[in-house]
Amino acid sequence: MQNDAVSNGYHDTGFAHLRGVLDPALVAAWQPQLMEAAHDLPNRASGQEIAAVFEPHRAAPAIAHILTAPVLGRIAADWLRTEAIRLVAAAAYIKPPGAPATFWHQDLWFFPIVDATMLTLWLPLAPIDAALAPMVYAAGSHRDGFTEASYDTPPEGKLLLRAAPMALGDVAIHDGWTLHASDPNGGTTAREAVGLSYIPADTRFATRDALQASPARWQWLAPYLDDANYREGAPVDGPACPAIALS
């Protein structure tokens, strides 16, 4: 799954575009199922973008089967360099024509873990070109850890890398601390994608002291800790964070 050049690039930049790692026919078969399920969920909109959060333990069996697919888990496990992983987040991101840019953020900011590794796999459900709201990554930003970054402007002093064009069967992966955003959708069709975030299976919840080290992050996280099944210092596990079979 890896070659030295791509692997070194990922660990230097916190991002990699993996070409042709999935069967395009498989992704095409997943697309209508995922989009139908996404539109049936209570959607959280940001601007004109729809972010539909999947819960694997509550999803229909066909959707749960996709979200926990070994072929996706294997990619994540290989890049996390472990043989045991859990899925901690899954969502569909639907950006219609004319939708604005998505704000700059770090995925780990939204989870009550600190000293842990996370990998997000971004799976487009149709080909993406430079006009169709591609993802944008701030190279090397994962090395800075948590960043009190502006939501609206790119980080200063970082090379910006765009994942475009992407063919059906391509995926993009990024580290949980990599600052990223997406461009506006200047195309004529909706950009449809799914994001899946994975952690090593031995990951533990952070202590409250560790989370409170960043007041802004703590202020955002504190109201959601019960929903996240937070247990200070305990393993991140349970049906909401399923272990992924890799074969």
Side-chain angles (χ1 to χ4, degrees):
M1 189 68 68
Q2 300 184 24
N3 64 52
D4 288 345
V6 175
S7 179
N8 291 340
Y10 175 74
H11 295 294
D12 287 342
T13 65
F15 151 75
H17 177 179
L18 308 180
R19 293 175 170 82
V21 292
L22 297 173
D23 179 355
L26 179 62
V27 179
W30 286 346
Q31 186 272 344
Q33 299 177 69
L34 290 167
M35 288 300 97
E36 181 179 1
H39 284 289
D40 287 342
L41 289 170
N43 293 321
R44 298 188 314 194
S46 175
Q48 298 178 50
E49 182 172 10
I50 296 171
V53 178
F54 293 115
E55 297 177 285
H57 62 306
R58 294 175 177 162
I63 299 303
H65 179 74
I66 296 171
L67 301 178
T68 60
V71 68
L72 299 173
R74 172 47 66 189
I75 296 170
D78 283 351
W79 288 87
L80 286 170
R81 298 178 176 175
T82 182
E83 285 298 307
I85 60 171
R86 289 185 176 274
L87 177 68
V88 292
Y93 299 103
I94 306 166
K95 184 171 281 195
T102 301
F103 66 93
W104 286 91
H105 63 281
Q106 298 168 298
D107 291 344
L108 263 170
W109 201 88
F110 302 101
F111 295 89
I113 55 180
V114 176
D115 296 323
T117 304
M118 173 187 282
L119 179 145
T120 296
L121 184 153
W122 196 80
L123 170 64
L125 300 175
I128 289 178
D129 61 25
L132 203 61
M135 296 292 288
V136 188
Y137 302 89
S141 55
H142 64 304
R143 297 184 180 277
D144 301 331
F146 175 72
T147 303
E148 298 278 4
S150 167
Y151 287 160
D152 297 321
T153 58
E156 294 183 1
K158 300 293 185 185
L159 176 68
L160 303 185
L161 304 174
R162 281 174 171 77
M166 295 187 74
L168 203 63
D170 290 4
V171 303
I173 58 171
H174 64 268
D175 185 275
W177 286 128
T178 301
L179 277 162
H180 60 286
S182 76
D183 285 338
N185 187 353
T188 58
T189 60
R191 189 219 63 195
E192 299 171 342
V194 172
L196 304 165
S197 294
Y198 301 89
I199 57 174
D202 60 357
T203 300
R204 290 181 173 271
F205 286 111
T207 64
R208 290 178 182 270
D209 285 347
L211 293 173
Q212 290 170 353
S214 167
R217 188 183 182 205
W218 173 251
Q219 183 178 17
W220 191 94
L221 278 173
Y224 298 100
L225 291 183
D226 288 342
D227 292 339
N229 195 31
Y230 173 75
R231 303 176 313 286
E232 185 172 14
V236 179
D237 58 15
C241 304
I244 304 300
L246 300 180
S247 60

